[in-house]
Amino acid sequence: MTATLTAPAPLVRNDPVAGTRTHASLTDGLRQTGAMAWRGLITMRRAPEQLFDVVVQPLLFTAMFAYIFGGAIAGDVAAYLPLLIPGILAQTALTACMATGVQLREDMDKGVMDRFTSLPIARWATVTGPMVADLVRYLVASVLTFTTGIAMGYRPAGGVGGVAASILLVIAAGWSMSWVFAWVGTIASSARGVQGISMMIMFPLTFLSNAFVPVDTLPGWLQAFVRFNPVSHVVTAVRDLANTGTVTSQVAIAVLGCAAVVAVFAPLTVHRFARRR
Amino acid sequence: MTTLLHDPPTRSTGTAPAVLVQDLVKNFGATRAVDHVNLEVTAGEIVGVLGPNGAGKTTTLRMLATLLSIDSGRAQIFGVDVAESPHVVRQLIGVTGQYASVDENLTATENLRLFGRLQGLSRHDARATATELLGRFGLEDAAGRPLRQFSGGMRRRLDLAASLISRPPLIFLDEPTTGLDPRTRGQMWDTIRTLVAEGATILLTTQYLDEADQLADRIAVIDHGRKVAEGTPDQLKAQVGSSTLILDLAEMDTEGRAAQIAGRVLGTTPFRSPEGRRLNVPVSDPGLVGDVLVALRQAAIEVTALQVTQPTLDEVFLALTGRDDEPATREEIR
């Protein structure tokens, strides 16, 4: 008779504390990041409307800006595209990473965060997991922007290699900048608040840059800011890669700028996030 | 991997209690949510923390589960200090929150696989554990359904299943049956009893006196952040005092005389029920109940039924907290 009874392994241990670890190792954290990214990807698949911004914005803004500003700024649409497409890329990536903060805030307010927090996992994996999943968003945004541009007559002189490199750079830049918005997510009290603050960061960063207009058309005091703005460097670097296929010093500056943003905001975010109330 | 295995420095020798709480305090602004609470849970025990909404039950549990910082006092899980070694404590506990602590966007299987992966199970093991737990909790039919379609009872069961993935020796259950209908509540109780039979230690909060009475070996009663009483359900009932003798009389007009006799023998004041044929008489010494029956027969008063009951935990709670408001109706302050 006993054979028919299912005997689950006992929950009791002679010494419960034996074999426990004081902290999660880096390998644990990376594996946990992978698991959290998997969760993010499933969520994206279940709720495809989350990709709405990265799908619609490249299509809409590329067409709109090209036909509205093309003639005024570059003489005609075709001449404006090599200037515009890298700008739209940067703008879309920034918008895409704005959602990181909103999502993080929403996650933090959910019951499931209690379970993540009570599990013996690396705290930072809960933040980095969704951010890894978000790489898909930047990829979608970049590919769509280029596709729209090419459909409108843009022929990137950098070739396939240059375009691929510029897409990689945009993904890296978007991921780095998303740490800023993740940090906003941890300091704001609601998802709506995150959205508002992020807009205030996003708009000046994209429009007060060289993304849509040549810098020398701006007043002198504004040029100083625009030249300092990391978005300008990313846009210039993307133009260099996509339009000439060369790795210029601007690329190095953009990569360094991204690294600096991560170095500042990643620790800030994880610290804020891990804080217990 | 082996380099991370260790003996935590904070660990006390010998058999440490599963939970040891000393003078625990938590303030939210000017409000003191938990006020010098002491509590000890021995391994293998199931202890209920009973109190109305806003009494500080959940706050206490959240501090023990490393979800909230401790303002002052000390908390240890199997001898490991919660504030000093939260990562070690998290390996010893399973937490089932008051509200769904699973991901709404994932299916039941995906949730369990996620929590398995996060706790170091291989892809294959995570899948196997998810299947096993879903079967054990009667959720296999709903395994692939989005959680939106889950009933309250199913969600709680999934929640509990998710807490068991790493087979933690200590399980925290925060109001495991609040909001469930009586049938699913009974199922949840059975599940909890099974866990205890398997050797788990459980600390549960509840606002249902019945639930604490049914499940817990010991009960701590909390009100306004303070522990007002602790003991076995029987001890708590005994603390309130007497049991009650209930007499059903054959004839209506004998009630007055019967009340007189019972009152004289037991030395208490009988309570005459509105329908006029039933007497409730407080009993301080159950040995005297026989004397009441003898005296009634001598007076030719016929009794059709009698019972001696223990006071319910509701009566205990009212006697201990000295309030007569309904425990479940107060506003929740977390």
Side-chain angles (χ1 to χ4, degrees), chain B residues 172-194:
Chain B
F172 294 132
L173 300 174
D174 193 11
E175 304 201 2
T177 66
T178 298
L180 295 188
D181 62 67
R183 194 173 59 88
T184 36
R185 208 168 146 198
Q187 288 173 350
M188 197 71 180
W189 286 358
D190 288 342
T191 311
I192 295 169
R193 288 195 187 98
T194 313

Side-chain angles (χ1 to χ4, degrees), chain A residues 6-26 28 31-40 42-43 45-47 50 107 110-123 125 274-277, chain B residues 1 4-6 8 11 26 62 65-69 77-78 80 82-83 86-88 90-93 95-97 100-103 105-107 110 113-115 117-120 136 159-160 162-164 166-169 171 195 198-200:
Chain A
T6 50
L11 291 158
V12 74
R13 304 177 199 161
N14 287 335
D15 184 359
V17 185
T20 55
R21 301 146 172 232
T22 45
H23 62 278
S25 70
L26 183 64
D28 290 340
R31 206 195 43 240
Q32 288 148 6
T33 299
M36 294 298 282
W38 175 71
R39 165 181 177 248
I42 291 178
T43 312
R45 209 179 60 201
R46 282 291 130 73
Q50 279 189 5
D107 245 9
K110 276 186 198 158
V112 69
M113 195 46 82
D114 270 0
R115 183 173 304 281
F116 292 140
T117 313
S118 71
L119 290 179
I121 59 175
R123 286 303 171 95
R275 186 182 63 115
R276 276 185 285 167
R277 274 142 294 164
Chain B
M1 184 141 148
L4 288 165
L5 298 175
H6 75 295
R11 183 185 154 205
K26 181 72 191 179
R62 286 175 65 84
T66 76
L67 296 172
L68 274 180
S69 64
I77 304 296
F78 292 106
V80 180
V82 173
H87 194 76
V88 176
R90 289 181 195 128
Q91 290 161 77
L92 302 170
I93 58 169
V95 186
T96 297
S101 40
V102 285
D103 193 326
N105 295 315
L106 270 53
T107 65
E110 284 164 353
R113 279 172 60 196
L114 171 66
F115 297 128
R117 289 288 288 156
L118 284 175
Q119 289 175 90
R136 196 170 147 202
D159 235 336
L160 184 53
S163 315
L164 301 178
S166 64
R167 306 206 150 272
I171 299 163
L195 290 175
E198 288 167 17

Side-chain angles (χ1 to χ4, degrees), chain A residues 107-163:
Chain A
D107 245 9
M108 285 170 79
D109 295 337
K110 276 186 198 158
V112 69
M113 195 46 82
D114 270 0
R115 183 173 304 281
F116 292 140
T117 313
S118 71
L119 290 179
I121 59 175
R123 286 303 171 95
W124 52 268
T126 323
V127 184
T128 50
M131 290 174 77
V132 169
D134 278 346
L135 293 177
V136 171
R137 294 164 49 80
Y138 309 135
L139 183 69
V140 170
S142 313
V143 170
L144 273 179
T145 308
F146 268 111
T147 312
T148 316
I150 288 165
M152 289 172 66
Y154 174 44
R155 296 291 172 264
V160 176
V163 169

Side-chain angles (χ1 to χ4, degrees), chain B residues 36-107:
Chain B
H36 295 281
V37 166
N38 291 288
L39 190 68
E40 191 172 332
V41 180
T42 315
E45 217 179 5
I46 169 161
V47 171
V49 177
L50 174 67
N53 275 332
K57 310 181 299 283
T58 300
T59 308
T60 305
L61 211 64
R62 286 175 65 84
M63 280 192 278
L64 294 179
T66 76
L67 296 172
L68 274 180
S69 64
I70 294 169
D71 283 356
S72 80
R74 207 159 65 112
Q76 289 187 341
I77 304 296
F78 292 106
V80 180
D81 192 275
V82 173
E84 281 171 26
S85 315
H87 194 76
V88 176
V89 167
R90 289 181 195 128
Q91 290 161 77
L92 302 170
I93 58 169
V95 186
T96 297
Q98 195 171 337
Y99 306 102
S101 40
V102 285
D103 193 326
E104 302 275 315
N105 295 315
L106 270 53
T107 65

Side-chain angles (χ1 to χ4, degrees), chain B residues 221 223 228-230 236 239-240 315-323:
Chain B
V221 184
D223 194 38
V228 291
E230 187 180 350
L236 284 185
Q239 207 169 322
V240 172
E315 290 167 308
V316 174
F317 193 83
L318 294 184
L320 291 173
T321 62
R323 271 206 320 266

